[in-house]
Amino acid sequence: MVEILRCQNYSFQYNNSQKLSLNKLNFSVDQGDFVILIGDTGSGKSTLLKQFLPELLTGKVLSGQINSQYSRDANHFAYVSQFVDNQIVMETPKDELEFVLDNQGCNDNEISMRIAEIASYLGIVDLLEQEVSHLSGGQKQLVNLASALVLKPQVLLLDEPTAQLDPVASEKLLQIIHKLNQDFNLTVLLVEHEIEKEVSFANRLMILEKGKLILDEPIKQGLSKIFQAKHYRNYLTQIDRLALELNFKSVDLPLSNQQLTKLISKKTSNLQYVKPENKSKTNSIFSVKNLSFRFDFNGRKILNRINFQLEEGGSYCIVGPNGVGKTTLLKVLTQQLKPQTGKIKFLNKKITNDFYRQVFVLPQNPANLFIKATVKAELEFQLKENHSQKNLSEVLSEFSLEGLEEYSPYDLSGGQQEFLALALGFIKNPKILFLDEPTKGLDPNKRILLSKLLKDFQSEKKTVLINSHDLLFAADYADYVAMMFNGNLSQFQTPSDFFADKFFYTTEINKALRDIFPQALIWKDIKKIES
């Protein structure tokens, strides 16, 4: 293979930081490589991707160099950020794509042809004339990818590109990227925390830890090694994790669902499904009746006669495709948008003006909540404002923000921003948390920590309502799950009931084992029978 990139003893530091973000990195990339880069939230993964486009850098190279066969510019390296709102500058996707191509000197005919081709390829033709402000986070991410691919780059730098995509759109996107990699020998560097599907397409696995490269292996050997490293075990796919936990011999990683099915079917007499505890009924805290909403008087109904109730101490998760109104629903429930019809009750009473004091809303973009110059100032302000009994050091420790006190909230990684915003919410001590995609940007260990924090919150008879594309988190954490589509919301069901009959909207373990253990959703649901 032809080497196209090489990092030699490369170190980098942000202007506002005293520590190295990247520390003496040494690796090379060949043309056509599909590299998955994983690591803890804030370990330097996004920072590394940005090094290949100097225009994105806001710091200094302290040692080493990057050698590239291509000019390190937007014609050869295409970057898609984890922050979906940071890349779109025009009012519509069509305007955005025209702007990108016009800047590269393309004529009108070429601009029209390229937009037609990429929009058809990514399935965004119907979005081209829509206002960007009306698009969901997932739809914006598809527009960002289109803007990257429309320039026909040699190297694709993807920073959690599926974080805000629904499961079906996510899988389609990865298949497209895989096809580009295979058909055009396009080199792909992909930062991800969730690698359920990605491992089937990649040929290399790399791990960054505190700015240092601690693993760089072919995908098979890399997966085997991270199972041996307890800290990284949760990064494994659910399929591979179950096979390794059950100590199946001589498995060739990564395993497909079909391969796991065959392995498990031979051992069913020695295995059992571990049934989760059912949650007992409690008092209603929040209820919705016949709720409807549309943006324009003659427009389509985004929400159509929605009915549900939330109980004290319960956790509820809403899943569904991009653009079906999940975020709009949260905004209507929390009085940011006014419904056309319907009733909303809190504590069995009509919502009053002080409702916002008793709830916390985490938006898709947590940076919208920040108002201070540093993490420390942000937390201290909220602690004082809410007369909290907690002190700063407690909050920093609880939400894994230690060492980030003097950072600007806007300079944090996506996952760190999520945890800072959640810390602000917990300081408020609300009765209900409304969370819009809270797991995006979080590594698997941070997702487990989030689950624990939310469970502790619920133990005080408080309630959580989440929008999420993260089916694994929904299956493992939520007490009840519902699906939204075409303005309608299904009934909330327990995860085992909700996911059991789904074809696409379910976990990989359920897909693989539904004929053997129909209610199994995650690797922990299957255990060996103790003799």
Side-chain angles (χ1 to χ4, degrees), residues 445-499:
N445 294 321
K446 288 293 189 295
R447 294 182 196 193
I448 292 170
L449 175 58
L450 172 62
S451 179
K452 180 184 181 302
L453 289 168
L454 295 178
K455 288 292 185 185
D456 290 344
F457 177 81
Q458 290 173 243
S459 69
E460 299 175 1
K461 294 187 176 180
K462 296 177 180 180
T463 303
V464 182
L465 178 64
I466 293 174
N467 281 342
S468 186
H469 294 309
D470 189 344
L471 300 187
L472 191 56
F473 183 77
D476 192 21
Y477 159 71
D479 297 318
Y480 304 100
V481 185
M483 176 177 277
M484 193 165 183
F485 183 74
N486 198 29
N488 299 306
L489 185 68
S490 71
Q491 288 186 339
F492 280 103
Q493 299 173 278
T494 63
S496 56
D497 289 337
F498 175 85
F499 289 111

Side-chain angles (χ1 to χ4, degrees), residues 250-302:
S250 302
V251 292
D252 192 17
L253 303 179
L255 288 172
S256 68
N257 290 9
Q258 189 177 55
Q259 288 171 317
L260 181 70
T261 303
K262 292 177 179 178
L263 288 171
I264 294 291
S265 63
K266 297 175 182 177
K267 302 284 186 179
T268 52
S269 60
N270 299 322
L271 302 174
Q272 62 181 340
Y273 165 67
V274 181
K275 186 176 181 179
E277 293 182 13
N278 288 329
K279 187 169 181 64
S280 57
K281 291 282 184 181
T282 58
N283 297 326
S284 173
I285 188 173
F286 189 86
S287 62
V288 173
K289 187 174 183 181
N290 294 330
L291 192 69
S292 295
F293 173 83
R294 64 181 82 194
F295 283 106
D296 304 309
F297 182 76
N298 293 318
R300 70 179 181 89
K301 281 188 177 180
I302 308 298

Side-chain angles (χ1 to χ4, degrees), residues 85-148:
D85 292 312
N86 287 5
Q87 290 188 255
I88 302 176
V89 296
M90 305 301 285
E91 290 187 0
T92 70
K94 184 171 182 286
D95 291 341
E96 182 74 16
L97 294 170
E98 288 176 345
F99 175 73
V100 170
L101 291 167
D102 187 56
N103 278 346
Q104 299 303 314
C106 297
N107 61 44
D108 289 346
N109 183 65
E110 187 174 6
I111 288 174
S112 178
M113 290 299 98
R114 285 210 197 181
I115 291 176
E117 186 177 36
I118 198 65
S120 300
Y121 200 66
L122 293 179
I124 60 169
V125 173
D126 293 340
L127 303 181
L128 289 178
E129 303 288 350
Q130 293 189 33
E131 290 184 27
V132 168
S133 60
H134 288 175
L135 300 182
S136 70
Q139 290 169 327
K140 290 176 184 176
Q141 192 66 307
L142 288 173
V143 174
N144 286 332
L145 183 64
S147 298

